[in-house]
Amino acid sequence: MSNLLGRKWHLIILHQLLTEGAMGFGELKGEIDHISSKVLSDSLDRLETEHELVERHIVSKKPVRVEYAVTDRGRDFAPIVTRIHEWGVEHVVRE
């Protein structure tokens, strides 16, 4: 669990997918400020393989297009992600 909560971008990615639904890599990157492609890719891979909170669907093969969506296990985690987001909005000053 600390592997999930201790990673800066994991909760932000989960929150985005929970609120917006399935998204392609480029869409997701465009919605998350200051995340590099490598960090997003690594984070999505960990959320998929280690935590089973995100799943990857191939939308088209030529050109290759994939979408990422929250799994049932991820939706079970949604109340925690939502509450952490709410706490952040209430208590963290944005610069």
Side-chain angles (χ1 to χ4, degrees):
M1 182 64 87
S2 65
N3 212 8
L4 172 64
L5 297 177
R7 302 232 177 236
K8 176 179 179 177
W9 298 103
H10 285 187
L11 292 176
I12 295 168
I13 293 166
L14 278 173
H15 182 261
Q16 188 66 39
L17 291 172
L18 285 164
T19 56
E20 298 297 324
M23 300 178 82
F25 185 89
E27 294 172 284
L28 196 51
K29 187 173 183 318
E31 291 295 322
I32 300 174
D33 292 336
H34 310 295
I35 192 168
S36 71
S37 293
K38 177 166 178 23
V39 170
L40 178 57
S41 179
D42 291 348
S43 295
L44 286 167
D45 185 54
R46 285 177 183 251
L47 288 168
E48 179 183 13
T49 59
E50 291 179 24
H51 304 294
E52 300 175 350
L53 299 173
V54 170
E55 56 192 357
R56 183 177 181 253
H57 299 282
I58 297 174
V59 177
S60 67
K61 292 190 180 196
K62 290 189 181 184
V64 175
R65 175 152 160 64
V66 298
E67 280 190 341
Y68 295 89
V70 178
T71 62
D72 289 340
R73 180 180 165 110
R75 281 187 285 283
D76 288 345
F77 196 61
I80 296 165
V81 174
T82 300
R83 185 58 196 123
I84 291 171
H85 173 76
E86 291 168 350
W87 185 90
V89 169
E90 292 171 16
H91 298 286
V92 177
V93 177
R94 294 187 181 197
E95 296 178 18

